Amino acid sequence: RAQFSSHKIEKEYVCLAQGIVPLERTSIDARIKVSQYRGAPGSGSNPRGLNNVCEVARDGKPSFTELRRIALLKDTDGAPYSLCVVKLHTGRTHQIRVHMNHIGHGLVTDNKYGLERFAADQLWCARNFLHTYRLVFNDVHSGEKVETLHPLPEDLRQALESLSADGTSGDAVLPWTQGQKPLSFADYAQ
């Protein structure tokens, strides 16, 4: 727990974003502000009845995200999607979702920051397409570095398989749909 709060754990994610994330877009450095509001019962609020909503704002906390687009995909209607790997350097609430939405590429099936596409996305992807695929931390007993890799869960693999890859993107998508161990962010960033 102390490693999480002191940002000593490396966290890497894979996400599916709306549209074509430009290859040259490799980072997002935008301050995030967290606000709370009273939620309706059963609306995802915490036990005190409060919901968090975050936005990019000048008076927010510093927030830095690295990203790499690793594949371009299309649905049956030709709508484009970008499969991206993401590395957090800060751990703000909803950081990836807020940052990706901020650059105009919200995540698939995002029920908080992508409501305009939520119903359509849910037809082929049952939940938010955001998955922690790699964690690196120090073992609390030995102090040695531990790396854990987590392939995509079956439901997200099926959602990814429902899309078609553009050109060479098929090679990049295959390990994710086949349940193979993913590469580290650094490997994708080369």
Side-chain angles (χ1 to χ4, degrees):
R1 189 176 190 132
Q3 290 182 60
F4 265 115
S5 60
S6 64
H7 305 293
K8 291 183 179 175
I9 293 182
E10 292 178 42
K11 297 174 262 187
E12 297 173 5
Y13 301 80
V14 60
C15 64
L16 189 61
Q18 309 281 347
I20 301 172
V21 175
L23 283 173
E24 57 274 5
R25 170 57 88 170
T26 59
S27 66
I28 306 166
D29 190 359
R31 300 172 82 85
I32 294 178
K33 179 179 180 177
V34 179
S35 301
Q36 291 187 328
Y37 65 93
R38 288 252 170 242
S43 67
S45 58
N46 66 26
R48 294 174 303 195
L50 298 175
N51 277 311
N52 287 333
V53 66
C54 303
E55 63 184 343
V56 169
R58 263 190 262 158
D59 60 340
K61 292 183 179 179
S63 306
F64 184 71
T65 303
E66 276 189 280
L67 70 140
R68 297 294 184 276
R69 185 190 79 205
I70 59 171
L72 281 178
L73 303 114
K74 290 184 180 177
D75 65 15
T76 55
D77 295 327
Y81 297 89
S82 297
L83 186 66
C84 299
V85 289
V86 179
K87 182 174 183 177
L88 294 181
H89 291 273
T90 51
R92 307 293 175 223
T93 302
H94 304 162
Q95 180 173 326
I96 295 168
R97 296 163 69 188
V98 172
H99 271 175
M100 294 302 288
N101 199 51
H102 175 68
I103 65 166
H105 298 287
L107 300 188
V108 166
T109 319
D110 189 337
N111 66 347
K112 188 168 276 220
Y113 302 102
L115 283 176
E116 67 281 348
R117 296 265 321 139
F118 180 72
D121 288 349
Q122 235 185 355
L123 295 174
W124 59 274
C125 184
R127 65 181 170 105
N128 193 357
F129 201 115
L130 177 62
H131 174 68
T132 306
Y133 78 89
R134 182 174 177 263
L135 291 173
V136 179
F137 56 92
N138 292 324
D139 182 274
V140 292
H141 301 291
S142 69
E144 290 184 33
K145 204 168 240 192
V146 176
E147 175 186 55
T148 63
L149 295 170
H150 308 275
L152 273 180
E154 183 62 30
D155 62 332
L156 295 182
R157 275 189 270 170
Q158 288 176 1
L160 199 55
E161 287 173 344
S162 74
L163 304 173
S164 59
D166 273 8
T168 59
S169 290
D171 292 341
V173 172
L174 198 60
W176 296 98
T177 58
Q178 299 298 312
Q180 298 171 8
K181 286 187 176 179
L183 301 173
S184 71
F185 181 88
D187 291 330
Y188 286 112
Q190 292 180 356

